[in-house]
Each structure stands twice: as structure tokens, then as C-alpha cells.
Amino acid sequence: MAGMAGVQVLVLLLAAISCVDAFIEGIYCGRENCYDILDVTRDSSKNDVVKAYRKMARKWHPDMHKGKEAKEKAAEMFQKIANAYEILKDEEQRADYDYMLDNPDEYYSIYFNYYRTRMAPKVDIRIVIGVTITVVSVIQYWGAWNNYTTAINYLCKEPKYRSKAIDIAKSEGTLSANNNRKRKGRSKEEIKEEEEAIIRQIIAEKMDIRGGYSRPSYRDILWIQLVFLPYYTVTYIIWYATWIWKFTILRNEYGEEEMYYKIRKYMKLSQSQWDALEDYEKENFLELGLWKWENFQDWREEQENERKSKLAESARYKSYRRYMKKGGAGQISFGPE
């Protein structure tokens, strides 16, 4: 008898385990079935779900009922209908909900799928990335144009460059043409504005502005750089492999371009910083043989010694050293000594 009782208890436990409730309070439609709320089946199409929702929404809309209790009941039912519709109209959420109905014992997967869908961003991440890159590209290009405009404005006001531009304009005959136009009734302000435009145009065309204030190029925009990134990557790999083959394996001598590259690399300068240097400076580096590491080390040490000697002769630096010997910014004063 005791053995039979034990078997019966085991059967009841197995039956209880096998009858796990598929509905979980707090997620999806709670203890109710979303399909039953909309009066549809799991085989119903999306159009059937939409039609059922519209029909139920018209029936249970609070404005269709009178009386406080009727309106409250209708509002509660309308909210359930809207919630069920939001779940079943979305293919991803509907698939997760069907998975819950078919696998009620997989609690962790059910909760994960539910909150993953709810917490995921509604906007496609690709759109967010694209908009971000576009905004960065616009700001980048605008900043480069702003720097370039600032440089042109400075050169237009600088007497040395302004007078040179005026001489070029006179030699080309553009300013003398303005003088002829003045006789045809043009005002002084109009003539002055046109002369400024001519001078500005000449400075923009003739002056070699380098570095961070150079004329912006579309190649510097982030979007263009990302589009051409595979090309740049392949080009760099080919260039690096060629460098290893020519100068490491075959031990060929460096050309002028390779020498400049070694010098720029030793100086830790970016391409824009290197381009900002004057040509005579680059030629001087080449004459000193700075593309050789030992020569560059000697040159750098010499430059450092010159810098230290200039600092030692500087009155401001001497004053700073006396200040630091007395304790610097952390010194404590107890009044006049």
C-alpha cells in the first residue's frame, strides 16, 4: 500500500510539472491569451489581426459607453485590446509570444525575449550611425572652411601680402579696369568692395596656405574616408609590403620620397604638419641626413641643447626658476621677510 501511495504521489508531481502555466503575470497580456482578447487564432494573418482590432476597438472605446462604471470597464478592456494588438501586429513580438506559448517552462528565454524587444531602440541602428557620420562630416567640413576663411581674412589684412596682391592685380590689369568703371558712375563703396574681392581672390589663388588652415578637400570628409577605407587599407598593405621587399630584404638605397618619409616618422609629424613646413626646411633636413636614425638623434640633441641655452639666457625663465626654488605654487608665505 505504501508503495502504491508513493507511485500515485510521483504521478501527481509529474502531472503538475507537465502542466506548467504558459501565461506569466507582468509580460505580454499577463494571465490572458492575446489571441483570445482579439478573438483571433494563431493561424490568423496580420490583416485579420488588424480587422479584429478595429472591430474590438470600436466596440470597447470609452466614448461609446455611458456611465462612470461602464466607461471604466470599457477603458480597461480597450487598454487590453490595444496591448494585445501591439504584440500581435509586430512579427518579432508575435514570434516571441508564440514561443512562450509553446515553451512555457523556459522562463529565462521568455523574459529575455520580452525585454530585449521592449528595450531595443525603435530606430534602425544603421540610420543612427548614418546620421551621426553625416553630422560629423558636415561639422568637420564647416570647421575646415572656417579655418581657411580665417586664414584668408588674416592675409588680406596683412600689409605684406596685401601689397603683393595689389601688385599682381595691377600687373594683370584688374584694378585699372576698376578705375575706368569709376568714371561710369560707380560709387566709391562699390569700387572698394570690388577691389577687396579681387585682392581676396588673388590671395586665395596665389598664396600657399598649408596645414590646418589649408583649403578643405572633399577627401578629408569622414564619409569619403570611410567609403575609401578599403582602398586605402589595400594600398597601405601593398605599400608596406613593397617597402619591406625593397629596403629590408633587397636592401636598396632610399629615394628622396622615402628619405622624407623617414624624417617625418622620426619627427612624429602628421601629414598635414609635414605639409605645413617650408620647402627650404625640408631640404635642410635632407642635407643633414636626418633620414638616418643616428644623424637624427644627434640633431635632436643639438636642438635640445640650443633650446636649453636660450631658456637659460631668458629673463623670464630665470625668474621662473627663482620662483620654483622658493616653492612654486605650493609655497607658504608668513608675511614680509
Side-chain angles (χ1 to χ4, degrees), residues 3 43 59 131 153 170 218 250 260:
D43 297 329
K59 178 181 178 181
V131 171
N153 291 337
K170 288 181 178 179
Y218 71 93
L250 298 181
Y260 280 139

Side-chain angles (χ1 to χ4, degrees), residues 142-155 200 213-214 216:
W142 176 83
W145 264 109
N146 186 51
N147 290 342
Y148 177 71
T149 304
T150 302
I152 295 297
N153 291 337
Y154 171 78
L155 295 177
R200 185 182 184 85
Y213 290 89
S214 60

Side-chain angles (χ1 to χ4, degrees), residues 123-138 222-223 226:
V123 182
D124 192 340
I125 189 64
R126 293 171 294 183
I127 298 177
V128 175
I129 294 174
V131 171
T132 303
I133 294 175
T134 302
V135 171
V136 172
S137 300
V138 170
L222 181 58
W223 257 124
L226 291 176

Side-chain angles (χ1 to χ4, degrees), residues 244-259:
I244 296 297
W245 172 255
K246 290 176 62 177
F247 305 113
T248 303
I249 299 176
L250 298 181
R251 297 186 179 277
N252 294 339
E253 293 184 357
Y254 293 137
E256 184 176 290
E257 183 178 353
E258 288 77 17
M259 292 178 184

